[in-house]
């Protein structure tokens, strides 16, 4: 660390003041003159034929400006929404790709599917008019239950996906794995459900659009995590508006967690209709619309088996998973249960043989796509649950079984049997530190004390690995991804010495405006208050792939470092000229160019000024200006790792699970701002514990109605569900990016569910409970206890 | 049919014509352009819209604008004593990294101030966590919000606010 505000410093956030004084600017806050307001009429049925739509009465409703239906889009030759990742099945065939119309034309396929767009002078008038639209539906049987999605006779969601199968994909050699199982001393088996989640960023999705008739330019404000990607999809595949005529702005965005990566119907419609309506259009989802139409997360049904030798060494792992895609394939949906899931099944272990088979199903439910962790939480849940189950079956300490199978620190780079090559890590010190912080040795005494009070205590481990920092573009291309995954940065000095750092990543809570400024401050010596981080606008930023997959620092931050290299290289030439020195003798230290062994010095600001006022400047050799661009494509993923330990206490009378303590020790490589990193871990843990104990999207299995469709029905984690968390760090720097950083955004949510559920199972094992599904609600836990007691009585 | 409504918002007299169904939060955001108060749900659960009405914290999505006739309303925009000085609760949120995306923050801060006052500036962790029942945050895991409120309570007392 070079200063109190450089790399490694706990710098307070630059962005906080506007958020704390009510002066942040989110999409819904935009004042747009003459704005109209959109409201979407959505399907009340999970599966139905649209026999007719009568908008005649609605058109006469007060304040109505326009009403659009799917037929209008067909007439205008608007394309469908796309899935940007082609996964090839086990026979090498691309996945089934049913069309995804922006608005339903003749069939609705989930409750919330878009049927009509009403544009009116006010939100209330648009909403009132929607009630006057008469849609004649012929209700069809719906395919809701994932476990039965492929059954003969199950209702068919799309004719293009016979049997509701999108792909049948595999990784690993099944015969080799079977051979290892034949030799195993012990096999642990389990059947688990990874419960479906609803992201619920606190800011609902929103869009606003304006069309400039004079220039033919569209401006779309969207709650997007990746405005350039949204523009690319809308331009190249859906609306056909040329990229240079469409500006997408993602201003302050109130959380994303994956759900704001994707290209949705609503924002597409708002953009498309802006030119037809001739006035700006605003739309903000009501929370109930968010529940119905934001892409949901997780939703796997899995059978897994782990083979061990008599010493407890893992011989092989086999996994069969059915993954829910929902009614349509969302933007990156196909990659989540394959390349972001099965490639993580080695975890932190030397398991030499792994086979995974994933079948993706379409169902009459909302589309499912990436949600905080995206595939990696599901993999970690499988691995860490089965490892703890094996330890319990073998009567081994769960930490000991983990240690016995950890990849040794000397083995990096480590090639796993499921494609990834881990670049770095050192797992034993992490679990040691976590056990120390959690006072693992004192646990049995605490269990006994709890038992004396009639309570059941349990403790659970979860040692996760994550592949993030998405991603090396050529690898992504080989795996079927449709985009590059580099990041861009621009460092643009102004003549007076202050600087704009322009990034293609996007901050929606992560604090990039502070962390990225710290990088530039540390590297170039520019004071923090002279640095502005610019992001989220396709017109003011070069290009960018946005923020997801814990990529912004590892990839976007690395691009910024590359750009600072170019600034320094150019500055050296300018300074050499000003100091009449050889450029080879010029060094850059503490924001100043110097000639070693002399007192000659040129501050960076002076070189910048000379570059913009080049009166004494080597114009024949270098261009004026101090403005450098860099693109960075990572050499590999980054691999954060860590161990979480959760301690719970269960009241057997009520089934209530209380989290008593939760410890997380992580290796995120080098840390730029520990305050921000801790905040990411806290939030991740709560989302992970939320999955384990509270959250679950529930559809009625017959009608497909979303039963958990509001904050009154879907349990969000609240402050009083948690203790304060205990965190620790170990550092093995990433060897292949210039900052030595990994990623911290998803880790908490990846590790926590298994830690909690292992603790729940540990607490309930003494009374004979074998298995509790997530979420371990009081009802679920109480019923499991009753079931165990009945079984014991028989 | 519209109804005239008048109230004091952050010390200034304001008035407007609203529909009977217009919510206080709509009046603040759409009529007055004061967009610091946020709407995060439609069932009065999330607490992003909390403001003070006559000194008490109220979910402004749960009150009609006409019900605030004649009231003194304070929003997040009205807390800081000056352009370069924050209210002790705002300061504590910043010092403790109690906000990430900032969307729940206005409601959290307004609820927290009311909480501190109702408990006469003396709070413990369990009380703060219980009192936050009506405010949802999806980013911070509440850990730093709790720390901030515990730090702000004595700071508010010494600042006399």
């Amino acid at each position: 660390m070079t200063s109190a505000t450089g790399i490694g410093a706990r710098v307070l956030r630059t962005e906080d003041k506007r958020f704390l004084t009510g002066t942040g600017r989110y999409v819904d806050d935009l004042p747009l003159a003459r704005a109209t307001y959109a409201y979407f009429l959505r399907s009340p049925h999970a599966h139905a034929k649209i026999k007719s739509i009568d908008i005649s009465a609605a058109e006469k409703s007060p304040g109505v400006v326009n009403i659009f239906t799917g037929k209008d889009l067909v007439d205008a030759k608007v394309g469908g929404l796309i899935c940007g990742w082609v996964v090839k099945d086990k026979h090498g065939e691309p996945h089934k790709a049913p069309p995804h119309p922006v608005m339903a034309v003749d069939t609705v396929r989930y409750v919330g599917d878009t049927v009509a767009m009403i544009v009116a002078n006010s939100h209330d008038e648009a909403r009132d008019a929607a009630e006057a639209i008469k849609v004649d539906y012929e209700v069809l049987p719906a395919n809701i239950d994932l476990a039965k999605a492929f059954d003969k006779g199950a209702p068919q969601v799309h004719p293009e996906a016979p049997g509701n199968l999108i792909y049948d994909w595999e990784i690993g050699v099944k015969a080799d794995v079977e051979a290892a199982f034949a030799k195993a001393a012990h096999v642990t088996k389990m059947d688990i459900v990874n419960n479906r989640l609803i992201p619920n960023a606190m800011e609902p999705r929103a869009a606003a659009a304006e069309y400039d008739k004079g220039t033919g330019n569209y401006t779309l404000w969207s709650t997007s995590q990746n405005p350039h990607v949204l523009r690319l999809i809308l331009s190249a595949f859906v609306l056909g508006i040329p990229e240079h005529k469409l500006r997408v702005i993602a201003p302050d965005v109130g959380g994303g967690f994956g759900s704001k990566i994707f290209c949705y119907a609503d924002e597409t419609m708002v953009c498309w209709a802006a030119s037809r309506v001739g006035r700006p259009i605003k739309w903000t989802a009501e929370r109930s619309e968010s529940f119905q139409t934001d892409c949901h997360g997780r939703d796997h049904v899995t059978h897994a088996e782990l083979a061990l030798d008599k010493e407890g060494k893992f011989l092989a792992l086999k996994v069969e998973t059915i993954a829910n895609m929902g009614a349509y394939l969302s933007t990156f949906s196909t990659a989540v249960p394959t390349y972001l899931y099965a490639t993580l099944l080695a975890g932190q272990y030397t398991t030499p043989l792994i086979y995974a088979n994933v079948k993706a199903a379409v169902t009459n439910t909302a589309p499912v796509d990436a949600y905080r962790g995206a595939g990696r939480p599901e993999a970690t849940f499988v691995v860490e649950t089965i490892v703890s189950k094996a330890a319990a079956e073998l009567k081994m300490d769960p930490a000991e079984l983990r240690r016995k199978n950890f990849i040794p620190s000397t083995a990096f780079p480590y090639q796993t049997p499921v494609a990834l090559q881990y670049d770095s890590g050192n797992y034993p010190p992490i679990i040691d530190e976590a056990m120390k912080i959690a006072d693992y040795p004192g646990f049995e005494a605490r269990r006994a004390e709890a038992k004396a009070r009639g309570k059941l205590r349990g403790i659970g481990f979860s040692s996760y690995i994550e592949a993030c920092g998405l991603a090396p573009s050529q690898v992504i291309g080989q795996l079927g991804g449709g985009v590059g995954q580099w990041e861009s940065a621009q460092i643009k000095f102004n003549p007076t010495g202050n600087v704009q750092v322009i990034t293609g990543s996007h901050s929606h809570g992560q604090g990039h405006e502070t962390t990225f400024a710290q990088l530039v401050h540390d590297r170039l010596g520019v004071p923090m208050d002279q640095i502005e981080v610019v992001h989220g606008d396709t017109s003011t930023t070069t290009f960018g792939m946005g923020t997801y997959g814990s990529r912004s620092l590892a990839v976007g931050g690395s691009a910024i470092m590359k750009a600072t290299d170019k600034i320094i290289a150019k500055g050296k030439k300018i300074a050499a000229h000003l100091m009449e020195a050889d450029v080879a003798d010029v060094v850059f230290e503490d924001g100043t160019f110097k000639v070693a062994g002399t007192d000659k010095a040129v501050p960076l600001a002076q070189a910048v000024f000379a570059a913009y006022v080049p009166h004494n400047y080597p114009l024949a050799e270098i261009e004026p200006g101090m403005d450098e661009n860099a693109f960075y494509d990572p050499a590999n993923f980054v691999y954060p790792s860590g161990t979480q330990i959760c301690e719970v206490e269960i009241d057997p009378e009520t089934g209530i699970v209380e989290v008593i303590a939760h410890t997380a020790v992580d290796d995120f490589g080098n840390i730029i701002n520990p305050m921000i990193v801790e905040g990411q871990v806290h939030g991740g843990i709560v989302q992970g514990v939320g999955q384990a104990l509270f959250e679950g999207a529930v559809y009625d299995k017959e009608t497909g109605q979303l039963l958990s469709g509001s904050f009154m029905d879907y349990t969000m984690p609240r402050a009083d569900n948690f203790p304060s968390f205990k965190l620790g760090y170990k550092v093995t720097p990433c060897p292949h990016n210039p900052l030595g950083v990994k990623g911290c955004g998803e880790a908490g949510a990846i590790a926590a569910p298994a830690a909690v559920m292992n603790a729940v199972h540990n607490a309930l094992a003494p009374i004979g409970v074998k298995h509790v599904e997530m979420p371990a609600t009081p009802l679920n836990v109480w019923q499991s206890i009753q079931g165990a007691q009945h079984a014991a009585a028989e | 049919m519209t109804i005239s409504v008048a109230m004091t918002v952050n010390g200034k007299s304001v008035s407007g014509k609203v529909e009977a169904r217009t919510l206080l939060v709509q009046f603040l955001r759409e009529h007055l352009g004061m967009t610091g108060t946020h709407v995060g749900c439609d069932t009065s659960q999330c607490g992003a819209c909390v403001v003070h009405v006559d000194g008490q914290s109220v979910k402004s999505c749960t009150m009609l604008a006409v019900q605030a006739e004649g009231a003194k309303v304070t929003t997040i925009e009205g807390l800081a004593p000056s352009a370069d000085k924050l209210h002790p609760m705002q300061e504590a949120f910043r010092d403790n990294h109690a906000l990430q995306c900032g969307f729940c923050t206005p409601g959290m801060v307004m609820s927290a101030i009311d909480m501190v006052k109702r408990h006469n500036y003396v709070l413990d962790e369990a009380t703060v966590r219980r009192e936050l029942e009506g405010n949802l945050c999806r980013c911070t895991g509440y850990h730093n919000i709790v720390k901030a409120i515990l730090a702000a309570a004595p700071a508010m007392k010494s600042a006399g606010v």
Side-chain angles (χ1 to χ4, degrees):
Chain A
M1 175 171 63
T2 59
S3 75
T5 47
I7 289 176
R10 192 173 280 272
V11 181
L12 298 184
R13 297 200 323 169
T14 315
E15 43 274 81
D16 284 355
K17 192 176 174 193
R18 68 175 188 269
F19 295 140
L20 281 165
T21 54
T23 49
R25 283 291 170 263
Y26 301 85
V27 172
D28 191 65
D29 300 340
L30 292 169
L32 290 176
R34 298 179 62 245
T36 61
Y37 296 83
Y39 183 84
F40 291 97
L41 180 68
R42 300 185 184 280
S43 169
H45 303 294
H47 197 192
K49 286 260 176 246
I50 298 174
K51 291 166 75 176
S52 65
I53 302 176
D54 179 1
I55 61 170
S56 55
E59 282 180 317
K60 294 180 199 122
S61 189
V64 168
V65 177
N66 273 103
I67 296 176
F68 302 103
T69 65
K71 190 175 172 301
D72 295 310
L73 300 185
V74 173
D75 293 346
K77 297 189 168 46
V78 170
L81 298 176
I82 61 153
C83 174
W85 199 305
V86 179
V87 168
K88 290 189 175 166
D89 72 8
K90 61 185 184 187
H91 308 296
E93 295 296 320
H95 70 77
K96 298 288 190 292
H100 185 178
V102 177
M103 288 208 291
V105 180
D106 50 17
T107 307
V108 288
R109 290 189 170 85
Y110 68 101
V111 171
D113 208 351
T114 316
V115 174
M117 179 196 204
I118 303 94
V119 180
N121 288 326
S122 74
H123 170 80
D124 287 340
E125 286 168 328
R127 196 184 163 142
D128 289 346
E131 288 183 18
I133 295 179
K134 294 189 189 76
V135 186
D136 187 7
Y137 292 105
E138 178 191 335
V139 178
L140 302 170
N143 184 36
I144 306 297
D145 189 347
L146 180 62
K148 295 177 183 165
F150 303 128
D151 286 2
K152 274 210 172 76
Q156 297 296 292
V157 181
H158 292 278
E160 298 83 359
N164 298 317
L165 182 68
I166 290 297
Y167 53 68
D168 180 354
W169 177 91
E170 66 182 1
I171 190 168
V173 180
K174 194 174 186 180
D176 294 351
V177 169
E178 296 294 0
F181 269 84
K183 286 185 274 181
H186 182 83
V187 173
T188 294
K189 301 179 181 183
M190 69 173 192
D191 288 285
I192 49 166
V193 172
N194 200 292
N195 45 326
R196 183 179 180 116
L197 303 176
I198 300 179
N200 278 320
M202 292 315 301
E203 179 203 23
R205 286 190 300 109
E210 188 169 56
Y211 176 70
D212 183 329
K213 206 172 171 183
T215 60
N217 290 345
Y218 289 79
T219 304
L220 170 65
W221 291 266
S222 170
T223 51
S224 174
Q225 298 179 215
N226 37 213
H228 288 92
V229 177
L230 178 59
R231 183 181 66 164
L232 179 64
I233 293 172
L234 289 176
S235 290
F237 301 100
V238 188
L239 295 179
I241 302 166
E243 267 184 294
H244 66 297
K245 305 302 274 182
L246 173 57
R247 176 181 185 181
V248 179
I249 302 172
D252 288 328
V253 172
F257 314 109
S259 67
K260 293 172 180 169
I261 296 172
F262 322 118
C263 178
Y264 286 94
D266 336 277
E267 59 204 353
T268 303
M269 283 304 300
V270 168
C271 186
W272 176 81
S275 61
R276 275 125 194 114
V277 170
R279 288 163 59 186
I281 304 176
K282 291 185 75 171
W283 168 78
T284 299
E286 297 178 356
R287 179 57 61 182
S288 50
E289 290 183 280
S290 305
F291 272 98
Q292 288 184 355
T293 67
D294 288 6
C295 285
H296 295 180
R298 318 283 190 256
D299 207 354
H300 287 189
V301 174
T302 293
H303 175 78
E305 299 186 14
L306 178 68
L308 301 93
D309 71 10
K310 61 183 191 316
E311 312 296 328
K313 285 286 278 183
F314 304 158
L315 298 174
L317 175 69
K318 61 180 173 186
V319 174
E320 303 273 346
T321 292
I322 302 174
N324 201 342
M325 298 280 106
Y328 299 102
L329 302 181
S330 171
T331 315
F332 293 111
S333 57
T334 50
V336 176
T338 49
Y339 297 114
L340 293 177
Y341 166 69
T343 55
L344 273 298
L345 288 170
Q348 296 190 359
Y349 310 112
T350 55
T351 317
L353 294 162
I354 297 172
Y355 172 78
N357 171 232
V358 180
K359 294 187 180 79
V362 275
T363 59
N364 293 110
T365 63
V368 179
D369 206 326
Y371 168 65
R372 201 169 192 169
R376 291 151 293 174
E378 295 92 311
T380 301
F381 189 65
V382 170
V383 173
E384 288 306 288
T385 309
I386 204 163
V387 168
S388 281
K389 188 163 192 263
E393 288 173 0
L394 296 169
K395 301 196 175 6
M396 281 180 74
D397 182 273
E400 196 45 46
L401 183 61
R402 284 176 168 80
R403 265 203 209 91
K404 194 184 275 283
N405 288 282
F406 278 157
I407 297 162
S409 64
T410 50
F412 294 94
Y414 179 82
Q415 179 62 51
T416 75
V418 273
L420 296 176
Q421 189 182 72
Y422 296 171
D423 60 358
S424 60
N426 188 6
Y427 310 139
I430 294 174
I431 200 168
D432 289 348
E433 178 76 4
M435 289 165 74
K436 198 171 129 198
I437 294 174
D439 184 24
Y440 187 67
F443 172 71
E444 286 305 331
R446 296 194 294 278
R447 194 203 293 265
E449 184 277 330
K451 194 176 175 190
R453 289 185 282 108
K455 300 287 177 68
L456 301 165
R457 275 236 179 180
I459 196 161
F461 287 79
S462 176
S463 297
Y464 76 95
I465 183 86
E466 175 186 5
C468 59
L470 306 179
S473 293
Q474 293 183 350
V475 175
I476 297 304
Q478 285 158 16
L479 300 180
V483 289
Q485 295 239 299
W486 41 262
E487 196 47 84
S488 79
Q490 182 184 1
I491 297 191
K492 187 163 88 174
F493 275 90
N494 296 309
T496 51
N498 47 38
V499 60
Q500 285 180 308
V501 179
I502 298 160
T503 173
S505 61
H506 183 271
S507 186
H508 32 280
Q510 295 89 341
H512 296 169
E513 291 170 37
T514 307
T515 303
F516 290 170
Q518 280 179 260
L519 299 181
V520 173
H521 165 68
D522 191 279
R523 195 77 204 289
L524 299 181
V526 181
M528 287 290 281
D529 65 359
Q530 300 290 302
I531 303 170
E532 185 187 35
V533 174
V534 177
H535 62 95
D537 181 342
T538 58
S539 281
T540 59
T541 62
T542 312
F543 204 96
M545 299 313 295
T547 288
Y548 44 83
S550 303
R551 68 188 304 275
S552 297
L553 183 60
V555 188
S558 295
I560 290 171
M561 295 308 276
K562 270 186 81 174
T564 62
D565 288 344
K566 293 183 182 180
I567 293 283
I568 292 168
K570 183 167 185 178
K572 277 184 179 174
K573 289 180 193 167
I574 301 167
H577 175 86
L578 293 174
M579 295 187 286
E580 297 177 346
D582 189 319
V583 71
D585 297 330
V586 177
V587 294
F588 183 67
E589 288 172 2
D590 302 328
T592 302
F593 297 100
K594 297 170 184 168
V595 178
T598 74
D599 60 356
K600 289 181 176 176
V602 169
L604 175 59
Q606 188 185 337
V608 168
F609 185 78
Y612 283 106
V613 187
H615 297 168
N616 175 19
Y617 193 86
L619 282 168
E621 293 161 43
I622 46 176
E623 295 170 10
M626 193 63 102
D627 179 359
E628 296 289 348
N629 262 303
F631 284 73
Y632 176 82
D633 202 286
N636 191 354
F637 298 91
V638 291
Y639 296 93
S641 61
T643 289
Q644 291 188 7
I645 299 177
C646 180
E647 189 164 330
V648 301
E649 192 167 292
I650 297 174
D651 182 344
E653 298 296 318
T654 62
I656 291 173
V657 179
E658 186 185 353
V659 178
I660 302 292
H662 199 102
T663 302
V665 178
D666 294 286
D667 175 2
F668 296 135
N670 293 329
I671 287 175
I672 309 302
N673 185 327
M675 179 192 81
I676 287 177
V677 169
E678 285 163 16
Q680 291 292 309
V681 175
H682 295 152
I685 291 172
V686 162
Q687 275 175 307
V689 176
Q691 170 166 29
L693 296 182
F694 310 115
E695 300 181 43
V698 181
Y699 283 95
D700 182 278
K701 285 187 177 172
E702 289 298 315
T703 64
Q705 292 298 321
L706 180 63
L707 302 181
S708 56
S710 80
F711 284 145
M712 295 194 291
D713 309 292
Y714 182 95
T715 312
M716 289 282 280
R718 286 174 154 80
D720 63 352
N721 298 133
F722 299 93
S724 285
F725 305 118
K726 300 171 190 172
L727 309 186
Y729 299 99
K730 295 286 172 187
V731 176
T732 58
C734 171
H736 61 77
N737 65 46
L739 288 161
V741 296
K742 298 181 178 177
C744 66
E746 298 161 291
I750 288 171
V756 175
M757 294 311 293
N758 286 337
V760 167
H761 287 129
N762 181 257
L764 297 176
I767 58 167
V769 172
K770 297 271 190 282
H771 187 66
V772 182
E773 292 286 9
M774 295 193 291
T777 57
L779 178 64
N780 252 350
V781 171
W782 188 84
Q783 285 179 333
S784 301
I785 293 170
Q786 301 306 306
Q789 285 170 349
H790 285 302
E794 278 164 14
Chain B
M1 190 189 96
T2 57
I3 303 168
S4 293
V5 63
M7 65 188 81
T8 306
V9 178
N10 299 330
K12 284 184 191 155
S13 297
V14 297
S15 60
K17 289 191 189 313
V18 299
E19 288 186 63
R21 62 179 167 178
T22 301
L23 301 169
L24 177 57
V25 68
Q26 289 176 306
F27 182 67
L28 292 170
R29 288 181 58 83
E30 295 162 21
H31 292 247
L32 304 180
M34 299 178 67
T35 54
T37 303
H38 294 155
V39 179
C41 74
D42 44 17
T43 52
S44 297
Q45 300 281 300
C46 80
C49 66
V50 171
V51 299
H52 295 172
V53 177
D54 292 330
Q56 283 195 317
S57 67
V58 167
K59 287 180 174 172
S60 60
C61 74
T62 310
M63 185 174 187
L64 297 169
V66 292
Q67 289 177 295
E69 172 70 32
K72 286 192 172 65
V73 177
T74 306
T75 71
I76 191 74
E77 289 100 332
L79 281 184
S82 67
D84 51 5
K85 192 165 165 51
L86 296 174
H87 183 282
M89 187 61 77
Q90 293 170 313
E91 200 72 57
F93 266 60
R94 177 163 147 81
D95 288 347
N96 289 281
H97 186 34
L99 64 154
Q100 291 182 26
C101 80
F103 197 80
C104 76
T105 307
M108 283 284 180
V109 168
M110 300 310 285
S111 290
I113 290 170
D114 186 53
M115 180 198 311
V116 169
K117 288 183 177 170
R118 278 187 289 104
H119 289 270
N120 202 21
Y121 303 92
V122 181
L123 285 162
D124 55 36
E125 179 175 341
T127 307
V128 173
R129 287 183 179 276
R130 200 174 56 245
E131 285 273 353
L132 285 175
E133 197 263 345
N135 290 80
L136 295 176
C137 170
R138 197 57 152 166
C139 295
T140 65
Y142 304 102
H143 182 111
N144 286 339
I145 292 175
V146 175
K147 263 172 70 181
I149 296 170
L150 289 171
M156 279 173 61
K157 189 171 188 184
S158 29
V161 292

